[in-house]
């Protein structure tokens, strides 16, 4: 390192600048809200089918007829899927589970296949598959090994490629995308020991040099998926506001072997045993200003926009798991005989099989529709993608749980143990462990409900404006009320009656028409309920998380039913031999979904939320600590709840390279 560059940032100037950055202890609720709101996309420039569901506007034309990939994408995508299938059949998945790591030759094989560049455009050395075929690839991978799926999705959905394609300069794209496509694994570094869903508490700093040529990064990042084996990192760090610097949370592309970066530990989890997830520190890491993605302060916005399509990787993996679960449930329930009949013929098991089959059909419908909407880029899919992630992660987990139950004791037994005693190595318990993280990955279920709810009630918040500001005077609120009344005077009458009330509506869908009529009616009912909640609680509605969570879940069910009906219609047109079975699956799913939806709607107003929240408050106050008597807690004395520093015994760098020499030009001639 040259003396000139060393002198560009002095310890004094760096310390002074770091001191001006907000510290977590000083971050209050309002600041956290402001940071989150500033990162949210404020405008809706394109139509959104899912957003309409929450407003009582069921516009089926936005998704029907089902969008199709271009002939070029089909040719390219099917060829890649064939190559991927051939390769995956050579992977020893039992070894990944046994050794808790993906072998280096699997990394190498994926790189040579072009799997690290599935979504990267051909002109940058990638496969150019688009979201639809990328999802299809992850469906296949999800049926084989979830750790491989997490490796590839963390690299492409939230790692370097997606932010660069979204906000990078042409120079940045040509510099890094070919490397990523050729197998330079990337990771996304946002989470910190004190930072989860509340980015306002972010402590990592990026101090600009006095000449503006570089930034110096310092901080600790937790749960860096792919961080142990990454070559390139997307790092989120806070730039202090100063003269010439707007400041804020900013995204940087960082070489993983840059001086000052240390991967202290490879974390271990209940599932995804092959996941290369680490604890990473950055100390005085110098990053050229040319590596900044977008502008200062745009890091969170870039991250959230990236997730609009990036979140679809999880539903795709869940769909693959659902398909595998259906196959195992069918084969096992036919072979296993109890009380004179195959277990699948007993009603208790039959109900579970029906749930798995119908829900798997809907999972694939949601994944394929969302992927095509993303590829067309003519709709705003931020709510669709969020709903897909939320709903698929919950349903995927339920499917895996039901599979374990169908398999009984063999469902609880590991695949290795089953094989050791001569039985088929069915890893149902592994699937359950692997899928559990999807309810937390890329936004926990609870956070996803709040994020979607914020978008779902955006029209109400915009219309109400100052009306819900508790600090305003009566006169100001009266003026705001007059403004809001104009919006509601136009909107509310449209919720009284609609196409779903007509007995012949959507008849082009045949036997599925009643389900679409139900979706249309329920969409209006949901919108009315949201309005009643807004009128009742006004600005306090955002704290009614039970109410908002149910509103979101109803919308998710309506979206899944719509996608299933549209998919069934497409299958009927393309493959007449499957018309009947596709309609039966969509019909069964819609009936199951209606039961869940009606229950959620009833629970909007008839629930135990208030009682539960009072009880939880008393638990936190220690009123019921006596209930914990009579047990031992082996975790006591093992460490703090949240560590503020790198453990003293974790200073060795466990970072490693897993892919050998792969030419960035490998994908240049792919067609």
């Amino acid at each position: 390192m040259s003396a000139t560059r060393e002198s560009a940032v002095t310890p004094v100037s760096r310390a002074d600048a770091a001191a001006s950055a907000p510290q977590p202890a000083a971050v209050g609720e309002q600041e956290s809200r402001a940071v989150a709101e500033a990162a949210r996309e404020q405008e809706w420039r394109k139509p959104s089918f899912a957003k309409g569901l929450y407003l009582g506007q069921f516009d089926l034309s936005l998704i029907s007829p089902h969008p199709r990939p271009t002939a070029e994408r089909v040719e390219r995508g099917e060829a890649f899927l064939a190559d991927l299938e051939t390769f995956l059949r050579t992977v020893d998945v039992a070894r990944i589970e046994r050794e808790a790591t993906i072998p280096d030759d699997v990394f190498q094989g994926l790189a040579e296949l072009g799997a690290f560049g599935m979504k990267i455009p051909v002109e940058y050395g990638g496969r150019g598959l688009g979201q639809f075929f990328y999802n299809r690839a992850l469906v296949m991978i999800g049926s084989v090994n979830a750790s491989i799926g997490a490796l590839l999705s963390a690299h492409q959905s939230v790692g370097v490629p997606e932010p660069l394609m979204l906000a990078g300069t042409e120079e940045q794209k040509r510099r890094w995308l070919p490397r990523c496509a050729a197998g330079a694994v990337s990771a996304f570094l946002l989470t910190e020991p004190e930072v989860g869903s509340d980015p306002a508490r972010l402590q990592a700093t990026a101090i600009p040099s006095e000449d503006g040529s570089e930034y110096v990064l310092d901080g600790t990042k937790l749960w860096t998926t792919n961080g142990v084996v990454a070559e390139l990192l997307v790092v989120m760090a806070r730039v202090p506001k100063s003269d010439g610097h707007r400041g804020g949370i900013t995204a940087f592309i960082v070489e993983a072997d840059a001086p000052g970066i240390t991967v202290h530990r490879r974390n271990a989890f209940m599932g995804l045993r092959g996941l290369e997830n680490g604890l990473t520190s950055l100390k005085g890491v110098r990053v050229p200003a040319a590596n900044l993605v977008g502008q200062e302060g745009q890091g969170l916005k870039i991250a959230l926009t990236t997730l609009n399509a990036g979140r679809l990787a999880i539903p795709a993996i869940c769909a693959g798991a659902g398909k595998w679960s259906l196959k195992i449930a069918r084969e096992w329930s036919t072979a296993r005989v109890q009380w004179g009949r195959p277990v699948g013929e007993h009603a208790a098991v039959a109900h579970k099989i029906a749930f798995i089959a119908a829900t798997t059909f809907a999972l694939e419908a949601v994944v394929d529709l969302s992927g095509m909407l993303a590829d067309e880029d003519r709709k705003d899919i931020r709510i669709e993608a969020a709903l897909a992630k939320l709903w698929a992660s919950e349903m995927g987990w339920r499917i895996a749980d039901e599979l374990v139950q169908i398999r009984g004791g063999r469902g609880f037994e590991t695949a290795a143990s089953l094989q050791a005693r001569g039985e088929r190595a069915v890893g149902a318990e592994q699937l359950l462990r692997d899928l559990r993280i999807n309810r937390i990955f890329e936004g926990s279920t609870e956070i996803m409900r709040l994020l979607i709810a914020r978008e779902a009630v955006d029209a109400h918040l915009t219309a109400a404006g100052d009306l819900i500001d508790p600090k305003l005077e009566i006169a100001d609120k009266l003026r705001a009320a007059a403004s809001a009344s104009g919006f509601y005077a136009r909107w509310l009458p449209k919720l009284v009656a609609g196409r779903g009330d007509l007995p012949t509506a959507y008849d082009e869908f045949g036997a599925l028409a009643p389900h679409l009529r139900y979706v249309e009616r329920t969409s209006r009912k949901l919108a009315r309920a949201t309005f009643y909640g807004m009128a009742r609680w006004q600005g306090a509605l955002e704290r009614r998380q039970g109410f908002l969570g149910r509103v979101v879940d109803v919308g998710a069910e309506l979206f899944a039913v719509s996608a299933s009906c549209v998919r069934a219609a497409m299958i009927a047109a393309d493959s007449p031999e499957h018309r009947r079975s596709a309609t039966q699956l969509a019909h069964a799913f819609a009936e199951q979904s209606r039961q869940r939806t009606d229950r959620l709607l009833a629970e909007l107003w008839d629930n135990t939320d208030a009682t539960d929240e009072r009880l939880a408050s008393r638990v936190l106050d220690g009123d019921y600590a006596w209930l914990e008597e009579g047990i031992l807690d082996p975790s006591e004395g093992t460490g703090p709840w949240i560590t503020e520093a790198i453990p003293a015994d974790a200073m060795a760098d466990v970072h490693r390279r897993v892919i050998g020499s792969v030419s960035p030009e490998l994908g240049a001639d792919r067609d």
Side-chain angles (χ1 to χ4, degrees):
M1 187 175 296
S2 70
T4 302
R5 294 188 64 186
E6 179 65 34
S7 63
V9 179
T10 66
V12 175
S13 63
R14 192 183 308 167
D16 290 344
S20 67
Q23 296 302 307
V27 176
E29 181 179 2
Q30 293 305 315
E31 183 176 347
S32 293
R33 290 172 184 274
V35 170
E37 189 66 16
R40 190 179 71 88
E41 291 183 76
Q42 305 287 336
E43 299 180 12
W44 293 82
R45 301 182 181 87
K46 302 174 185 177
S48 166
F49 173 75
K51 182 178 177 64
L53 290 174
Y54 291 104
L55 293 173
Q57 300 164 356
F58 179 60
D59 187 354
L60 195 60
S61 69
L62 293 175
I63 62 171
S64 179
H66 196 293
R68 316 279 186 129
T70 64
E72 181 185 3
R73 281 266 172 86
V74 171
E75 182 179 3
R76 186 182 298 133
E78 294 295 349
F80 176 79
L81 290 177
D83 292 341
L84 178 64
E85 179 179 350
T86 299
F87 172 74
L88 290 175
R89 290 186 181 279
T90 69
V91 176
D92 185 353
V93 294
R95 179 184 173 189
I96 295 175
E97 185 68 7
R98 181 175 63 253
E99 299 180 359
T101 188
I102 298 173
D104 289 1
D105 65 326
V106 175
F107 279 92
Q108 191 74 28
L110 290 169
E112 294 172 356
L113 186 65
F116 289 98
M118 285 186 280
K119 288 180 66 179
I120 296 175
V122 174
E123 57 265 35
Y124 299 112
R127 283 285 190 173
L129 300 186
Q131 189 70 43
F132 176 79
F133 278 103
Y134 172 68
N135 289 348
R136 292 280 297 275
L138 289 176
V139 167
M140 185 185 296
I141 293 166
S143 69
V144 174
N145 184 267
S147 292
I148 297 177
L151 160 70
L152 294 173
S153 64
H155 165 71
Q156 289 174 91
S157 297
V158 294
V160 169
E162 194 72 22
L164 269 190
M165 289 188 289
L166 174 71
T169 65
E170 183 62 25
E171 181 181 355
Q172 289 174 330
K173 293 175 184 177
R174 295 199 176 280
R175 177 182 177 188
W176 285 304
L177 288 181
R179 282 180 60 187
C180 291
V185 181
S186 67
F188 177 69
L189 278 61
L190 170 63
T191 305
E192 299 176 0
E194 285 279 358
V195 180
S197 301
D198 181 6
R201 299 174 62 84
L202 191 114
Q203 297 184 66
T205 58
I207 310 304
S209 63
E210 294 175 0
D211 63 3
S213 64
E214 62 181 7
Y215 294 79
V216 177
L217 275 57
D218 289 277
T220 300
K221 296 295 183 177
L222 181 61
W223 299 326
T224 58
T225 296
N226 290 354
V228 179
V229 295
E231 290 187 39
L232 294 170
L233 311 173
V234 180
V235 180
M236 293 291 172
R238 187 186 301 278
V239 177
K241 187 175 182 179
S242 62
D243 291 341
H245 293 277
R246 59 184 296 179
I249 298 173
T250 305
F252 298 88
I253 305 296
V254 183
E255 296 284 348
D257 60 358
I261 296 180
T262 304
V263 181
H264 298 274
R265 286 195 183 281
R266 180 177 184 266
N267 301 316
F269 305 96
M270 66 179 286
L272 296 182
R273 285 172 55 78
L275 195 69
E276 297 289 351
N277 180 291
L279 171 66
T280 304
S281 70
L282 301 95
K283 296 184 178 180
V285 179
R286 295 178 177 275
V287 180
N291 291 28
L292 188 152
V293 182
Q295 299 178 4
E296 288 184 0
Q298 291 186 337
L300 283 182
K301 184 179 288 289
I302 290 171
L304 291 178
T305 307
T306 293
L307 286 174
N308 284 345
R311 284 195 174 103
L312 293 177
I314 287 177
I317 291 171
C318 290
K323 284 173 169 285
W324 181 81
S325 297
L326 178 60
K327 180 178 184 293
I328 297 299
R330 174 179 58 81
E331 294 176 354
W332 166 253
S333 298
T334 301
R336 175 66 162 169
V337 176
Q338 293 285 276
W339 295 296
R341 287 190 295 169
V343 295
E345 295 182 10
H346 293 285
V349 175
H351 297 162
K352 298 180 185 302
I353 294 173
F355 167 76
I356 292 174
T359 306
T360 295
F361 180 85
L363 279 171
E364 188 167 36
V366 166
V367 169
D368 280 0
L369 177 60
S370 300
M372 279 309 308
L373 292 175
D375 282 342
E376 285 191 331
D377 198 28
R378 292 189 288 126
K379 314 291 191 304
D380 190 321
I381 67 160
R382 74 183 84 163
I383 294 184
E384 283 84 347
L387 285 177
K389 188 275 175 188
L390 166 68
W391 185 79
S393 62
E394 291 293 326
M395 288 301 175
W397 164 257
R398 284 188 56 185
I399 286 174
D401 187 56
E402 294 289 25
L403 177 63
V404 168
Q405 194 69 20
I406 289 172
R407 288 274 290 161
R410 289 172 174 84
F412 193 66
E413 190 173 2
T414 68
S417 178
L418 287 165
Q419 188 172 27
R421 58 182 184 78
E423 291 197 2
R424 184 167 166 176
V426 177
E429 60 82 31
Q430 179 187 338
L431 182 73
L432 191 66
R433 289 186 288 104
D434 285 346
L435 288 183
R436 183 60 182 84
I437 187 58
N438 292 328
R439 298 174 64 201
I440 300 171
F441 260 168
E442 295 178 18
S444 69
T445 290
E446 293 73 23
I447 290 298
M448 291 305 301
R449 286 185 177 127
L450 295 180
L451 290 175
I452 298 167
R454 175 63 184 86
E455 301 296 349
V457 302
D458 182 60
H460 298 281
L461 295 176
T462 301
D466 292 339
L467 185 62
I468 60 176
D469 188 342
K471 299 178 182 179
L472 283 188
E473 301 294 333
I474 295 296
D476 294 324
K477 286 201 171 187
L478 288 175
R479 284 191 292 271
S483 175
S485 64
F487 166 78
Y488 288 117
R490 295 187 301 272
W491 178 66
L492 286 173
K494 299 178 182 178
L495 304 182
V496 177
R499 193 179 174 193
D501 296 317
L502 302 176
T504 59
Y506 310 109
D507 272 359
E508 65 270 25
F509 286 86
L512 299 178
H515 299 305
L516 291 172
R517 291 196 289 269
Y518 172 81
V519 171
E520 195 279 336
R521 294 194 306 272
T522 306
S523 172
R524 286 185 282 114
K525 184 176 183 178
L526 180 64
R528 292 195 300 268
T530 306
F531 168 73
Y532 299 151
M534 190 74 184
R536 179 175 178 179
W537 295 303
Q538 299 185 40
L541 176 62
E542 65 181 1
R543 297 187 180 276
R544 297 283 174 169
Q545 295 182 5
F547 178 89
L548 292 174
R550 295 181 186 96
V551 166
V552 168
D553 287 348
V554 170
E557 293 288 351
L558 298 183
F559 177 50
V561 171
S562 303
S564 298
C565 292
V566 171
R567 178 176 178 78
M570 179 181 66
I571 292 173
D574 292 351
S575 307
E577 70 274 18
H578 295 318
R579 175 193 299 269
R580 184 178 180 183
S581 56
T583 300
Q584 289 170 341
L585 286 165
H587 173 72
F589 172 74
E591 287 196 326
Q592 294 172 10
S593 175
R594 184 182 295 208
Q595 295 293 316
R596 294 190 293 267
T597 298
D598 288 345
R599 183 171 61 252
L600 287 164
L601 288 169
E603 290 175 354
L604 283 175
W605 312 108
D606 184 9
N607 55 66
T608 63
D609 288 357
T611 299
D612 294 344
E613 288 163 18
R614 286 193 297 269
L615 179 63
S617 179
R618 291 166 185 154
V619 169
L620 296 176
D621 287 341
D623 291 357
Y624 309 127
W626 55 267
L627 190 58
E628 302 161 12
E629 294 174 2
I631 57 97
L632 298 175
D633 179 3
S635 72
E636 286 187 353
T638 58
W641 287 107
I642 300 173
T643 181
E644 298 180 357
I646 302 296
D649 63 343
M651 300 310 294
D653 191 355
V654 299
H655 180 263
R656 61 191 180 91
R657 292 287 291 270
V658 292
I659 297 178
S661 176
V662 180
S663 171
E665 287 74 35
L666 250 182
D669 297 326
R670 292 184 180 128
D671 50 32

